mmCIF file of all heavy atoms in Angstrom:
data_model
loop_
_atom_site.group_PDB
_atom_site.id
_atom_site.type_symbol
_atom_site.label_atom_id
_atom_site.label_comp_id
_atom_site.label_asym_id
_atom_site.label_seq_id
_atom_site.Cartn_x
_atom_site.Cartn_y
_atom_site.Cartn_z
ATOM 1 N N THR W 1338 10.637 -9.253 -5.306
ATOM 2 C CA THR W 1338 11.027 -8.220 -6.260
ATOM 3 C C THR W 1338 12.480 -7.843 -6.078
ATOM 4 O O THR W 1338 13.162 -8.284 -5.154
ATOM 5 C CB THR W 1338 10.172 -6.951 -6.084
ATOM 6 O OG1 THR W 1338 10.485 -6.355 -4.811
ATOM 7 C CG2 THR W 1338 8.685 -7.270 -6.140
ATOM 8 N N ASN W 1339 12.970 -6.986 -6.958
ATOM 9 C CA ASN W 1339 14.349 -6.507 -6.854
ATOM 10 C C ASN W 1339 14.569 -5.734 -5.557
ATOM 11 O O ASN W 1339 15.693 -5.603 -5.085
ATOM 12 C CB ASN W 1339 14.708 -5.625 -8.052
ATOM 13 C CG ASN W 1339 13.723 -4.489 -8.242
ATOM 14 O OD1 ASN W 1339 12.520 -4.664 -8.068
ATOM 15 N ND2 ASN W 1339 14.221 -3.338 -8.624
ATOM 16 N N HIS W 1340 13.495 -5.217 -4.953
ATOM 17 C CA HIS W 1340 13.630 -4.502 -3.685
ATOM 18 C C HIS W 1340 14.104 -5.445 -2.577
ATOM 19 O O HIS W 1340 14.940 -5.086 -1.757
ATOM 20 C CB HIS W 1340 12.287 -3.883 -3.290
ATOM 21 C CG HIS W 1340 11.720 -3.002 -4.346
ATOM 22 N ND1 HIS W 1340 10.946 -3.489 -5.364
ATOM 23 C CD2 HIS W 1340 11.845 -1.670 -4.561
ATOM 24 C CE1 HIS W 1340 10.598 -2.484 -6.155
ATOM 25 N NE2 HIS W 1340 11.131 -1.380 -5.693
ATOM 26 N N THR W 1428 10.481 2.187 -3.770
ATOM 27 C CA THR W 1428 9.154 2.676 -3.384
ATOM 28 C C THR W 1428 8.060 1.770 -3.916
ATOM 29 O O THR W 1428 8.044 1.431 -5.111
ATOM 30 C CB THR W 1428 8.926 4.102 -3.904
ATOM 31 O OG1 THR W 1428 9.944 4.972 -3.385
ATOM 32 C CG2 THR W 1428 7.561 4.628 -3.472
ATOM 33 N N TYR W 1430 4.258 1.719 -4.760
ATOM 34 C CA TYR W 1430 3.097 2.575 -5.002
ATOM 35 C C TYR W 1430 1.837 1.717 -4.857
ATOM 36 O O TYR W 1430 1.579 0.824 -5.664
ATOM 37 C CB TYR W 1430 3.173 3.208 -6.389
ATOM 38 C CG TYR W 1430 4.257 4.256 -6.503
ATOM 39 C CD1 TYR W 1430 5.550 3.906 -6.897
ATOM 40 C CD2 TYR W 1430 4.008 5.586 -6.200
ATOM 41 C CE1 TYR W 1430 6.553 4.859 -6.985
ATOM 42 C CE2 TYR W 1430 5.011 6.548 -6.287
ATOM 43 C CZ TYR W 1430 6.272 6.176 -6.682
ATOM 44 O OH TYR W 1430 7.279 7.118 -6.765
ATOM 45 N N TYR W 1440 -1.257 5.733 -13.241
ATOM 46 C CA TYR W 1440 -0.083 4.863 -13.356
ATOM 47 C C TYR W 1440 0.942 5.481 -14.312
ATOM 48 O O TYR W 1440 2.150 5.428 -14.056
ATOM 49 C CB TYR W 1440 -0.498 3.477 -13.852
ATOM 50 C CG TYR W 1440 -1.490 2.766 -12.971
ATOM 51 C CD1 TYR W 1440 -2.705 2.304 -13.474
ATOM 52 C CD2 TYR W 1440 -1.223 2.535 -11.628
ATOM 53 C CE1 TYR W 1440 -3.621 1.636 -12.677
ATOM 54 C CE2 TYR W 1440 -2.138 1.879 -10.810
ATOM 55 C CZ TYR W 1440 -3.341 1.434 -11.347
ATOM 56 O OH TYR W 1440 -4.246 0.785 -10.540
ATOM 57 N N LEU W 1444 4.987 6.388 -13.633
ATOM 58 C CA LEU W 1444 6.054 5.890 -14.510
ATOM 59 C C LEU W 1444 6.813 7.036 -15.157
ATOM 60 O O LEU W 1444 8.049 7.036 -15.208
ATOM 61 C CB LEU W 1444 5.455 4.975 -15.581
ATOM 62 C CG LEU W 1444 4.849 3.659 -15.086
ATOM 63 C CD1 LEU W 1444 4.035 3.002 -16.190
ATOM 64 C CD2 LEU W 1444 5.944 2.719 -14.599
ATOM 65 N N LEU W 1453 13.192 3.751 -12.656
ATOM 66 C CA LEU W 1453 12.270 2.624 -12.726
ATOM 67 C C LEU W 1453 12.729 1.445 -11.873
ATOM 68 O O LEU W 1453 11.905 0.661 -11.401
ATOM 69 C CB LEU W 1453 12.092 2.175 -14.177
ATOM 70 C CG LEU W 1453 11.325 3.139 -15.093
ATOM 71 C CD1 LEU W 1453 11.160 2.538 -16.478
ATOM 72 C CD2 LEU W 1453 9.966 3.516 -14.509
ATOM 73 N N VAL W 1456 10.964 1.561 -8.652
ATOM 74 C CA VAL W 1456 9.503 1.641 -8.676
ATOM 75 C C VAL W 1456 8.868 0.251 -8.644
ATOM 76 O O VAL W 1456 9.250 -0.647 -9.402
ATOM 77 C CB VAL W 1456 9.025 2.397 -9.926
ATOM 78 C CG1 VAL W 1456 7.514 2.259 -10.108
ATOM 79 C CG2 VAL W 1456 9.409 3.867 -9.823
ATOM 80 N N CYS W 1457 7.888 0.090 -7.768
ATOM 81 C CA CYS W 1457 7.070 -1.121 -7.706
ATOM 82 C C CYS W 1457 5.624 -0.656 -7.542
ATOM 83 O O CYS W 1457 5.316 0.099 -6.615
ATOM 84 C CB CYS W 1457 7.510 -1.975 -6.524
ATOM 85 S SG CYS W 1457 6.630 -3.519 -6.360
ATOM 86 N N ILE W 1458 4.760 -1.066 -8.452
ATOM 87 C CA ILE W 1458 3.370 -0.591 -8.441
ATOM 88 C C ILE W 1458 2.421 -1.747 -8.156
ATOM 89 O O ILE W 1458 2.390 -2.741 -8.887
ATOM 90 C CB ILE W 1458 2.987 0.065 -9.787
ATOM 91 C CG1 ILE W 1458 3.876 1.286 -10.056
ATOM 92 C CG2 ILE W 1458 1.515 0.472 -9.785
ATOM 93 C CD1 ILE W 1458 3.630 1.941 -11.408
ATOM 94 N N LEU W 1459 1.637 -1.613 -7.094
ATOM 95 C CA LEU W 1459 0.580 -2.559 -6.766
ATOM 96 C C LEU W 1459 -0.744 -1.916 -7.176
ATOM 97 O O LEU W 1459 -1.227 -0.987 -6.526
ATOM 98 C CB LEU W 1459 0.592 -2.869 -5.270
ATOM 99 C CG LEU W 1459 -0.394 -3.934 -4.776
ATOM 100 C CD1 LEU W 1459 -0.103 -5.296 -5.405
ATOM 101 C CD2 LEU W 1459 -0.353 -4.034 -3.249
ATOM 102 N N GLY W 1460 -1.281 -2.389 -8.291
ATOM 103 C CA GLY W 1460 -2.491 -1.764 -8.824
ATOM 104 C C GLY W 1460 -3.148 -2.651 -9.860
ATOM 105 O O GLY W 1460 -2.911 -3.869 -9.910
ATOM 106 N N ASN W 1461 -3.963 -2.064 -10.712
ATOM 107 C CA ASN W 1461 -4.621 -2.821 -11.771
ATOM 108 C C ASN W 1461 -3.598 -3.490 -12.672
ATOM 109 O O ASN W 1461 -2.519 -2.943 -12.926
ATOM 110 C CB ASN W 1461 -5.487 -1.890 -12.630
ATOM 111 C CG ASN W 1461 -6.687 -1.361 -11.885
ATOM 112 O OD1 ASN W 1461 -6.980 -1.777 -10.772
ATOM 113 N ND2 ASN W 1461 -7.401 -0.437 -12.499
ATOM 114 N N SER W 1462 -3.950 -4.653 -13.194
ATOM 115 C CA SER W 1462 -3.072 -5.367 -14.113
ATOM 116 C C SER W 1462 -2.825 -4.553 -15.377
ATOM 117 O O SER W 1462 -3.760 -4.223 -16.103
ATOM 118 C CB SER W 1462 -3.703 -6.710 -14.492
ATOM 119 O OG SER W 1462 -3.059 -7.274 -15.612
ATOM 120 N N PHE W 1463 -1.561 -4.224 -15.658
ATOM 121 C CA PHE W 1463 -1.231 -3.506 -16.887
ATOM 122 C C PHE W 1463 -1.518 -4.377 -18.112
ATOM 123 O O PHE W 1463 -1.973 -3.877 -19.149
ATOM 124 C CB PHE W 1463 0.242 -3.089 -16.889
ATOM 125 C CG PHE W 1463 0.593 -2.007 -15.898
ATOM 126 C CD1 PHE W 1463 -0.348 -1.483 -15.025
ATOM 127 C CD2 PHE W 1463 1.890 -1.505 -15.844
ATOM 128 C CE1 PHE W 1463 -0.019 -0.483 -14.114
ATOM 129 C CE2 PHE W 1463 2.236 -0.512 -14.945
ATOM 130 C CZ PHE W 1463 1.287 -0.004 -14.074
ATOM 131 N N GLN W 1464 -1.237 -5.672 -18.011
ATOM 132 C CA GLN W 1464 -1.458 -6.570 -19.148
ATOM 133 C C GLN W 1464 -2.929 -6.625 -19.538
ATOM 134 O O GLN W 1464 -3.259 -6.741 -20.715
ATOM 135 C CB GLN W 1464 -0.960 -7.988 -18.805
ATOM 136 C CG GLN W 1464 0.546 -8.125 -18.702
ATOM 137 C CD GLN W 1464 1.239 -7.977 -20.050
ATOM 138 O OE1 GLN W 1464 0.604 -8.068 -21.099
ATOM 139 N NE2 GLN W 1464 2.536 -7.716 -20.014
ATOM 140 N N HIS W 1465 -3.805 -6.513 -18.561
ATOM 141 C CA HIS W 1465 -5.224 -6.579 -18.860
ATOM 142 C C HIS W 1465 -5.705 -5.354 -19.646
ATOM 143 O O HIS W 1465 -6.685 -5.437 -20.377
ATOM 144 C CB HIS W 1465 -6.038 -6.746 -17.577
ATOM 145 C CG HIS W 1465 -5.895 -8.101 -16.960
ATOM 146 N ND1 HIS W 1465 -6.390 -8.417 -15.709
ATOM 147 C CD2 HIS W 1465 -5.305 -9.236 -17.431
ATOM 148 C CE1 HIS W 1465 -6.106 -9.683 -15.437
ATOM 149 N NE2 HIS W 1465 -5.450 -10.188 -16.451
ATOM 150 N N TYR W 1466 -5.032 -4.232 -19.467
ATOM 151 C CA TYR W 1466 -5.387 -3.071 -20.294
ATOM 152 C C TYR W 1466 -5.188 -3.409 -21.766
ATOM 153 O O TYR W 1466 -5.944 -2.976 -22.634
ATOM 154 C CB TYR W 1466 -4.514 -1.866 -19.928
ATOM 155 C CG TYR W 1466 -4.909 -1.162 -18.649
ATOM 156 C CD1 TYR W 1466 -4.009 -1.012 -17.606
ATOM 157 C CD2 TYR W 1466 -6.191 -0.640 -18.489
ATOM 158 C CE1 TYR W 1466 -4.365 -0.369 -16.429
ATOM 159 C CE2 TYR W 1466 -6.558 0.008 -17.320
ATOM 160 C CZ TYR W 1466 -5.642 0.138 -16.290
ATOM 161 O OH TYR W 1466 -6.004 0.769 -15.125
ATOM 162 N N CYS W 1486 6.102 0.298 -21.549
ATOM 163 C CA CYS W 1486 6.868 -0.530 -20.624
ATOM 164 C C CYS W 1486 6.408 -1.982 -20.600
ATOM 165 O O CYS W 1486 7.079 -2.832 -20.002
ATOM 166 C CB CYS W 1486 6.824 0.061 -19.217
ATOM 167 S SG CYS W 1486 5.285 -0.255 -18.311
ATOM 168 N N LEU W 1487 5.294 -2.311 -21.233
ATOM 169 C CA LEU W 1487 4.754 -3.663 -21.156
ATOM 170 C C LEU W 1487 5.750 -4.754 -21.557
ATOM 171 O O LEU W 1487 5.812 -5.808 -20.907
ATOM 172 C CB LEU W 1487 3.475 -3.787 -22.004
ATOM 173 C CG LEU W 1487 2.227 -3.116 -21.430
ATOM 174 C CD1 LEU W 1487 1.057 -3.261 -22.380
ATOM 175 C CD2 LEU W 1487 1.876 -3.703 -20.071
ATOM 176 N N ILE W 1490 8.464 -5.064 -18.394
ATOM 177 C CA ILE W 1490 8.084 -4.975 -16.988
ATOM 178 C C ILE W 1490 7.712 -6.372 -16.497
ATOM 179 O O ILE W 1490 7.191 -7.188 -17.261
ATOM 180 C CB ILE W 1490 6.901 -3.993 -16.780
ATOM 181 C CG1 ILE W 1490 6.718 -3.656 -15.302
ATOM 182 C CG2 ILE W 1490 5.609 -4.560 -17.361
ATOM 183 C CD1 ILE W 1490 5.708 -2.542 -15.060
ATOM 184 N N THR W 1491 8.031 -6.675 -15.248
ATOM 185 C CA THR W 1491 7.615 -7.939 -14.638
ATOM 186 C C THR W 1491 6.286 -7.725 -13.938
ATOM 187 O O THR W 1491 6.135 -6.789 -13.153
ATOM 188 C CB THR W 1491 8.656 -8.441 -13.623
ATOM 189 O OG1 THR W 1491 9.877 -8.724 -14.309
ATOM 190 C CG2 THR W 1491 8.178 -9.715 -12.941
ATOM 191 N N GLN W 1492 5.320 -8.580 -14.229
ATOM 192 C CA GLN W 1492 4.010 -8.483 -13.590
ATOM 193 C C GLN W 1492 3.695 -9.788 -12.883
ATOM 194 O O GLN W 1492 3.793 -10.865 -13.467
ATOM 195 C CB GLN W 1492 2.913 -8.177 -14.613
ATOM 196 C CG GLN W 1492 1.505 -8.202 -14.014
ATOM 197 C CD GLN W 1492 0.427 -7.737 -14.962
ATOM 198 O OE1 GLN W 1492 0.542 -6.686 -15.593
ATOM 199 N NE2 GLN W 1492 -0.648 -8.508 -15.060
ATOM 200 N N LYS W 1493 3.333 -9.699 -11.626
ATOM 201 C CA LYS W 1493 2.889 -10.849 -10.853
ATOM 202 C C LYS W 1493 1.426 -10.648 -10.481
ATOM 203 O O LYS W 1493 1.091 -9.771 -9.676
ATOM 204 C CB LYS W 1493 3.735 -11.012 -9.586
ATOM 205 C CG LYS W 1493 5.187 -11.409 -9.859
ATOM 206 C CD LYS W 1493 5.935 -11.638 -8.554
ATOM 207 C CE LYS W 1493 7.377 -12.056 -8.817
ATOM 208 N NZ LYS W 1493 7.471 -13.367 -9.464
ATOM 209 N N ASP W 1494 0.546 -11.427 -11.083
ATOM 210 C CA ASP W 1494 -0.873 -11.322 -10.781
ATOM 211 C C ASP W 1494 -1.142 -11.827 -9.362
ATOM 212 O O ASP W 1494 -0.574 -12.834 -8.926
ATOM 213 C CB ASP W 1494 -1.691 -12.131 -11.782
ATOM 214 C CG ASP W 1494 -1.617 -11.564 -13.193
ATOM 215 O OD1 ASP W 1494 -1.378 -10.347 -13.332
ATOM 216 O OD2 ASP W 1494 -1.775 -12.335 -14.157
ATOM 217 N N ASP W 1507 -8.520 -7.734 -9.910
ATOM 218 C CA ASP W 1507 -7.618 -7.315 -10.984
ATOM 219 C C ASP W 1507 -6.304 -6.737 -10.449
ATOM 220 O O ASP W 1507 -5.705 -5.856 -11.053
ATOM 221 C CB ASP W 1507 -8.310 -6.297 -11.903
ATOM 222 C CG ASP W 1507 -7.620 -6.189 -13.257
ATOM 223 O OD1 ASP W 1507 -7.234 -7.233 -13.804
ATOM 224 O OD2 ASP W 1507 -7.449 -5.060 -13.748
ATOM 225 N N LEU W 1508 -5.852 -7.239 -9.307
ATOM 226 C CA LEU W 1508 -4.666 -6.697 -8.659
ATOM 227 C C LEU W 1508 -3.409 -7.404 -9.158
ATOM 228 O O LEU W 1508 -3.388 -8.624 -9.328
ATOM 229 C CB LEU W 1508 -4.787 -6.871 -7.145
ATOM 230 C CG LEU W 1508 -3.862 -6.053 -6.252
ATOM 231 C CD1 LEU W 1508 -4.132 -4.559 -6.430
ATOM 232 C CD2 LEU W 1508 -4.066 -6.449 -4.785
ATOM 233 N N ALA W 1509 -2.365 -6.626 -9.388
ATOM 234 C CA ALA W 1509 -1.085 -7.184 -9.825
ATOM 235 C C ALA W 1509 0.048 -6.313 -9.307
ATOM 236 O O ALA W 1509 -0.119 -5.116 -9.080
ATOM 237 C CB ALA W 1509 -1.026 -7.289 -11.346
ATOM 238 N N LEU W 1510 1.198 -6.951 -9.146
ATOM 239 C CA LEU W 1510 2.410 -6.248 -8.726
ATOM 240 C C LEU W 1510 3.309 -6.081 -9.942
ATOM 241 O O LEU W 1510 3.558 -7.035 -10.682
ATOM 242 C CB LEU W 1510 3.137 -7.059 -7.653
ATOM 243 C CG LEU W 1510 4.313 -6.383 -6.958
ATOM 244 C CD1 LEU W 1510 3.831 -5.240 -6.080
ATOM 245 C CD2 LEU W 1510 5.081 -7.400 -6.112
ATOM 246 N N HIS W 1511 3.781 -4.840 -10.179
ATOM 247 C CA HIS W 1511 4.604 -4.534 -11.345
ATOM 248 C C HIS W 1511 5.939 -3.955 -10.893
ATOM 249 O O HIS W 1511 5.970 -3.049 -10.061
ATOM 250 C CB HIS W 1511 3.911 -3.497 -12.247
ATOM 251 C CG HIS W 1511 2.477 -3.827 -12.558
ATOM 252 N ND1 HIS W 1511 1.444 -3.539 -11.681
ATOM 253 C CD2 HIS W 1511 1.904 -4.393 -13.652
ATOM 254 C CE1 HIS W 1511 0.296 -3.931 -12.214
ATOM 255 N NE2 HIS W 1511 0.547 -4.454 -13.403
ATOM 256 N N TYR W 1512 7.025 -4.464 -11.476
ATOM 257 C CA TYR W 1512 8.342 -3.931 -11.134
ATOM 258 C C TYR W 1512 9.318 -4.215 -12.273
ATOM 259 O O TYR W 1512 9.019 -4.982 -13.204
ATOM 260 C CB TYR W 1512 8.855 -4.512 -9.814
ATOM 261 C CG TYR W 1512 9.058 -6.011 -9.815
ATOM 262 C CD1 TYR W 1512 10.320 -6.569 -10.067
ATOM 263 C CD2 TYR W 1512 8.006 -6.875 -9.538
ATOM 264 C CE1 TYR W 1512 10.516 -7.938 -10.060
ATOM 265 C CE2 TYR W 1512 8.190 -8.244 -9.526
ATOM 266 C CZ TYR W 1512 9.446 -8.772 -9.788
ATOM 267 O OH TYR W 1512 9.628 -10.126 -9.783
ATOM 268 N N PHE W 1513 10.486 -3.598 -12.196
ATOM 269 C CA PHE W 1513 11.506 -3.707 -13.234
ATOM 270 C C PHE W 1513 12.772 -4.305 -12.623
ATOM 271 O O PHE W 1513 13.244 -3.829 -11.588
ATOM 272 C CB PHE W 1513 11.831 -2.331 -13.825
ATOM 273 C CG PHE W 1513 10.633 -1.615 -14.380
ATOM 274 C CD1 PHE W 1513 9.796 -0.862 -13.551
ATOM 275 C CD2 PHE W 1513 10.326 -1.682 -15.732
ATOM 276 C CE1 PHE W 1513 8.701 -0.197 -14.062
ATOM 277 C CE2 PHE W 1513 9.224 -1.024 -16.247
ATOM 278 C CZ PHE W 1513 8.408 -0.275 -15.417
#
Side-chain angles (χ1 to χ4, degrees):
T1338 67
N1339 54 321
H1340 305 86
T1428 302
Y1430 290 90
Y1440 301 124
L1444 294 168
L1453 290 183
V1456 169
C1457 182
I1458 299 176
L1459 184 62
N1461 291 352
S1462 166
F1463 290 3
Q1464 290 291 344
H1465 289 171
Y1466 283 123
C1486 78
L1487 286 178
I1490 193 171
T1491 296
Q1492 174 173 311
K1493 292 184 179 294
D1494 294 334
D1507 199 42
L1508 196 63
L1510 188 69
H1511 311 82
Y1512 62 96
F1513 304 84

